[in-house]
Amino acid sequence: MNVSCGFVSAAARSFTRWSPAGARFCWRLLGPASTSRRNMSSKRQADHLERTASNYRQIALYPAQVCGIVNESETVKRLRIAVHPDFTFKAGQWVDLFIPGVDKVGGFSMCSSPGLLQREGVVELAVKYTKHPPAHWVHTMCTVGSQVDMRVGGDFFFDPSPSDPSVDLLLVAGGVGINPLYSILLHTADLLQLSHASDGRDYSVGATHLCYSAKNTTELLFKRSIVETCQQFPDKFSCHFHVTQQRAEVDPHLQPFVRSGRITEEELQAHVNPQRTLCYICGPPPIIEAVSKTLTDLGLPEDRIIFEKWW
């Protein structure tokens, strides 16, 4: 069960305020040479810090405290973490997670929006169980009150300025790869609310479509929240959940959104406009490679296809 989160470390409040080195790292279209388009270079599973060595990351390391834990699925725990007041991130980025007593550094994408951080001073991580020490700690030792340190990194994000041209987003997720895309979806919903409140003076939000593939509906993370967002803004948000090994009957609430089988070319084509569409993909390499090729064949320029491939 979630616990109300305030920033709990008095010592952290006394930290000297700092400014990130360099200019603001702006949202942009990432071209073929971008570090977001990276491939595995060997069969040995690289450490998180090795995999992301060429990526942008902040210099500062911030203290934080776990203040809520829920079981998002049978294999995924969702942490709610109270962070230092100076902590900031962009929708889609990840954190280096430093855990006392664990020698490996975890790398986990935020699954919450920057808006939640501004409103409540917390971020959320959804961590799938593995034997990798940081994930294993989350599932076996982490408790409400656990202290950690975090540092933000990543070139995979959506952070438009009010003056940026409107784009339509196509979000394609495989498995736990939904995490950064869910952050982007929530951020887009926040931007839409701001635009409505300002009578259109803030960023003009285009349409957003999510294609999300998992083995079955049990493994679909955040599904109810995603459906609620689509129902709240039906002219702006839509989604299809693709299940490849569904055995049980699908919940009637989800049935209108569920498709049996893999993400199809026809669905992608229905949501691709080479002049307006910006596509973010996160998931296992086979999904990224297949979807990227299909989108390119459909005429979407490579610099409008952005992906995160860690596995």
Side-chain angles (χ1 to χ4, degrees):
M1 132 174 159
N2 276 336
V3 177
S4 176
C5 300
F7 191 74
V8 290
S9 172
R13 295 183 187 277
S14 66
F15 278 21
T16 301
R17 296 183 68 86
W18 65 283
S19 297
R24 178 175 176 269
F25 193 73
C26 298
W27 168 79
R28 71 216 191 280
L29 304 184
L30 301 178
S34 164
T35 51
S36 277
R37 305 179 66 82
R38 56 185 180 270
N39 295 297
M40 295 298 289
S41 58
S42 70
K43 292 184 178 180
R44 181 182 70 85
Q45 184 174 3
D47 177 80
H48 163 67
L49 294 181
E50 293 176 320
R51 290 195 303 264
T52 61
S54 62
N55 286 106
Y56 165 83
R57 55 177 20 97
Q58 294 176 350
I59 297 173
L61 192 64
Y62 290 110
Q65 185 173 42
V66 176
C67 59
I69 305 174
V70 296
N71 292 321
E72 191 66 35
S73 74
E74 293 180 357
T75 59
V76 175
K77 285 190 180 292
R78 186 172 181 176
L79 304 185
R80 190 172 174 88
I81 303 176
V83 296
H84 189 278
D86 289 347
F87 183 95
T88 61
F89 75 99
K90 296 175 176 63
Q93 288 186 305
W94 38 258
V95 291
D96 296 330
L97 187 69
F98 294 80
I99 303 164
V102 177
D103 59 352
K104 294 287 186 181
V105 176
F108 304 111
S109 294
M110 259 82 64
C111 63
S112 54
S113 70
L116 179 67
L117 173 60
Q118 293 172 1
R119 293 187 296 269
E120 301 183 26
V122 299
V123 299
E124 295 185 341
L125 307 176
V127 180
K128 187 177 180 68
Y129 175 80
T130 70
K131 293 184 178 180
H132 188 251
H136 191 264
W137 176 86
V138 167
H139 280 261
T140 62
M141 299 182 66
C142 180
T143 62
V144 172
S146 291
Q147 302 279 347
V148 295
D149 293 296
M150 299 196 304
R151 177 176 60 203
V152 171
D155 305 310
F156 181 92
F157 60 79
F158 182 60
D159 182 41
S161 298
S163 60
D164 284 337
S166 177
V167 296
D168 294 334
L169 295 181
L170 175 59
L171 310 177
V172 182
V176 77
I178 185 62
N179 285 345
L181 301 184
Y182 183 59
S183 176
I184 290 173
L185 185 145
L186 293 176
H187 182 51
T188 306
D190 285 344
L191 291 175
L192 184 60
Q193 298 274 29
L194 288 173
S195 180
H196 287 169
S198 68
D199 294 325
R201 290 189 301 273
D202 283 295
Y203 176 73
S204 178
V205 175
T208 297
H209 181 72
L210 170 67
C211 305
Y212 179 12
S213 178
K215 290 181 180 179
N216 53 57
T217 55
T218 302
E219 290 294 314
L220 290 168
L221 308 182
F222 323 122
K223 50 186 175 285
R224 295 195 180 277
S225 173
I226 292 169
V227 166
E228 288 171 3
T229 300
C230 293
Q231 292 173 333
Q232 184 179 3
F233 305 106
D235 60 330
K236 290 291 187 180
F237 293 89
S238 59
C239 74
H240 284 155
F241 298 129
H242 292 262
V243 291
T244 57
Q245 299 179 28
Q246 184 72 19
R247 299 288 183 267
E249 186 175 349
V250 175
D251 185 328
H253 180 68
L254 294 178
Q255 281 180 358
F257 303 91
V258 172
R259 302 287 185 273
S260 180
R262 301 184 185 280
I263 297 167
T264 65
E265 179 179 347
E266 290 72 24
E267 179 176 356
L268 296 174
Q269 185 173 25
H271 296 279
V272 168
N273 179 328
Q275 283 72 49
R276 283 190 55 87
T277 302
L278 183 63
C279 181
Y280 289 83
I281 316 170
C282 188
I287 289 180
I288 293 174
E289 290 157 6
V291 171
S292 295
K293 182 180 185 307
T294 299
L295 292 173
T296 302
D297 291 344
L298 291 172
L300 190 63
E302 286 193 357
D303 63 359
R304 300 185 75 87
I305 304 170
I306 307 168
F307 59 72
E308 189 89 276
K309 185 159 70 171
W310 282 12
W311 290 268

